[in-house]
Amino acid sequence: MALKDVERHKIDEPEHEPVRVRGLPFFPHFLLREVVVMCLIAGSILLLASLFPASLLKPADPFDTPSPIYPEWYFLYVFGFLKFWIWNIGPIEAKTIGVTLPMVVWYGLLFLVPFIDRNPSSDIKKRKVAVALGIIAVIGVLYFTYFSIVHH
Amino acid sequence: MTLSDKLYKWFDERLKLSELLPPIVKHPAPENVTSNPLYCLGGTAFLCFLILVLTGIFLAMYYKPTPVEAYKSVERIMTEVPMGSLIRSIHHWAANIMIAAVMLHMLRIYFMGAYKKPRELNWVVGISLLLITTTFGFSGYLLPWDQLAFWATKIGTGIAGSIPVMGIYISLILVGGNDIGPETLTRFYALHVLILPATVAILLVLHFLMVRLQGISGRL
């Protein structure tokens, strides 16, 4: 293995204590590994494409609604949540909530993650709340995906 | 002096390669990155994007974005065009794998807490890329103009149209009228082959520059 010790100087430290970083130099060692991984992924895509070709159904017909109809798999959770949420809250319709929560609120929260989570630690043991919320979110998305398939 | 040395010298004198290249080429990839396969997810998404651009260019050469011609042109790609069926299938699979890879990449960043100071802005760029990647998939889904494409888009634009306040405008911009028709198809086509690829390319440059500037989390 072509491991290389590199000395890095932290400028803000008065005594200029070197920080050792062990790693592969980008060229050629790291790049070679990347190329191998890329070949594996490209090969897998080629295999999948040959074994399971992209489908083409009947031409679009606006007067013939097929049943069941699904959106793309990555939007199934939105579709599932829309079916799951059947309660009006005051003047707000159930449908509005069913769309707003998984689209607007969900993406809004995702954008704001670094500004909500002010805990400076990246040690998984010291950020139990963030990890728990993350696991709940993943289970939620998977559950609503499942819900959309079962209750079509 | 060999030919390659001469060529290098020619470009070096004009582009200062010997100053520009070493920081890129000799920059070490940290050991925790090279030993953990989870760090491949972002690169997988990027590779998929490159494959999608390449196969997409070939598909665009044969595809015709009108309701009358769209289905026939895709049918022709699948049956008559040499390797057409393979190219379209690769495009299809690379798209799905790219979306999955972007999602899993986000999960890795989240659970490793890699979005913390100073990387907050790169997280925001990353979520924008996730949003655009799914929009990319959504806009590409309509193009074959088959039953699945039409009705999935009907649901999708319907859901987007129900968002309070912005919904009607999003729906009007996307659909270009009251119902899915010729306007929708050309709009989705423009979105899919011009607007979104350019946006992704710009955001990817920002994403990679910030990775380089801020370093990879947990390297020290």
Side-chain angles (χ1 to χ4, degrees):
Chain A
M1 289 293 273
L3 282 170
K4 187 179 161 194
D5 286 316
V6 180
E7 309 237 319
R8 257 184 101 241
H9 293 276
K10 268 192 177 172
I11 298 147
D12 51 329
E13 276 171 9
E15 65 268 30
H16 286 273
E17 202 176 292
V19 181
R20 294 183 96 81
V21 179
R22 269 163 66 82
L24 288 173
F26 183 81
F27 183 85
H29 309 287
F30 183 66
L31 197 66
L32 183 67
R33 276 175 65 147
E34 289 292 284
V35 168
V36 171
V37 175
M38 282 183 160
C39 287
L40 285 174
I41 293 160
S44 312
I45 292 174
L46 192 64
L47 188 72
L48 283 169
S50 328
L51 293 178
F52 310 101
S55 65
L56 187 63
L57 305 179
K58 283 184 288 180
D61 182 355
F63 303 105
D64 171 25
T65 313
S67 178
I69 42 173
Y70 294 112
E72 299 86 320
W73 62 267
Y74 38 87
F75 286 135
L76 280 176
Y77 76 97
V78 180
F79 197 49
F81 188 83
L82 186 61
K83 289 193 167 165
F84 170 82
W85 192 274
I86 47 168
W87 305 280
N88 300 331
I89 296 180
I92 312 165
E93 273 181 69
K95 193 188 169 193
T96 312
I97 300 167
V99 172
T100 312
L101 276 184
M103 297 282 282
V104 185
V105 177
W106 169 239
Y107 268 100
L109 283 175
L110 279 182
F111 272 113
L112 292 176
V113 159
F115 310 103
I116 297 169
D117 178 13
R118 301 308 298 168
N119 175 2
S121 174
S122 57
D123 181 0
I124 203 158
K125 290 186 194 98
K126 286 179 189 161
R127 37 195 303 267
K128 291 200 173 77
V129 178
V131 169
L133 286 174
I135 292 171
I136 291 169
V138 171
I139 292 173
V141 169
L142 290 178
Y143 174 74
F144 290 120
T145 303
Y146 166 79
F147 193 89
S148 74
I149 299 167
V150 180
H151 299 266
H152 57 71
Chain B
M1 203 185 215
T2 60
L3 182 66
S4 60
D5 284 338
K6 275 185 190 163
L7 271 176
Y8 179 79
K9 196 165 168 284
W10 194 92
F11 281 105
D12 188 29
E13 280 165 0
R14 281 150 189 89
L15 299 171
K16 294 186 179 170
L17 290 182
S18 51
E19 281 174 39
L20 286 171
L21 286 182
I24 300 168
V25 166
K26 290 194 177 138
H27 186 82
E31 202 179 29
N32 58 352
V33 172
T34 54
S35 59
N36 188 343
L38 283 177
Y39 285 84
C40 285
L41 289 165
T44 303
F46 179 55
L47 175 67
C48 286
F49 178 67
L50 295 180
I51 294 173
L52 285 165
V53 169
L54 204 69
T55 51
I57 289 170
F58 285 118
L59 291 173
M61 289 176 183
Y62 292 95
Y63 178 73
K64 298 182 181 74
T66 66
V68 182
E69 297 267 16
Y71 184 85
K72 280 184 212 154
S73 66
V74 177
E75 205 173 36
R76 198 174 145 236
I77 289 170
M78 293 302 279
T79 52
E80 286 172 39
V81 177
M83 308 283 268
S85 153
L86 185 65
I87 296 285
R88 176 163 175 255
S89 302
I90 291 173
H91 197 76
H92 168 88
W93 277 105
N96 283 294
I97 290 172
M98 181 175 174
I99 292 167
V102 172
M103 287 176 174
L104 293 172
H105 179 61
M106 179 191 75
L107 285 182
R108 174 184 81 73
I109 302 294
Y110 182 83
F111 285 109
M112 286 186 170
Y115 51 82
K116 301 193 172 189
K117 195 187 168 191
R119 300 183 188 82
E120 299 98 321
L121 285 176
N122 218 8
W123 168 272
V124 172
V125 171
I127 298 295
S128 313
L129 279 165
L130 171 70
L131 197 61
I132 292 169
T133 310
T134 49
T135 316
F136 228 135
F138 177 67
S139 60
Y141 218 67
L142 177 70
L143 301 183
W145 205 253
D146 65 354
Q147 276 289 70
L148 185 70
F150 186 88
W151 291 98
T153 307
K154 192 106 176 156
I155 302 177
T157 50
I159 287 179
S162 318
I163 296 172
V165 191
M166 302 178 294
I168 18 168
Y169 302 106
I170 296 175
S171 173
L172 193 64
I173 291 168
L174 282 177
V175 178
N178 292 325
D179 209 353
I180 295 165
E183 312 300 332
T184 323
L185 192 52
T186 44
R187 272 160 201 245
F188 274 47
Y189 187 62
L191 203 63
H192 194 76
V193 304
L194 295 170
I195 302 166
L196 294 177
T199 319
V200 168
I202 294 166
L203 288 177
L204 278 179
V205 170
L206 281 177
H207 205 56
F208 296 157
L209 277 180
M210 273 197 259
V211 169
R212 192 56 214 282
L213 216 61
Q214 298 156 352
I216 292 165
S217 172
R219 59 188 289 191
L220 295 178

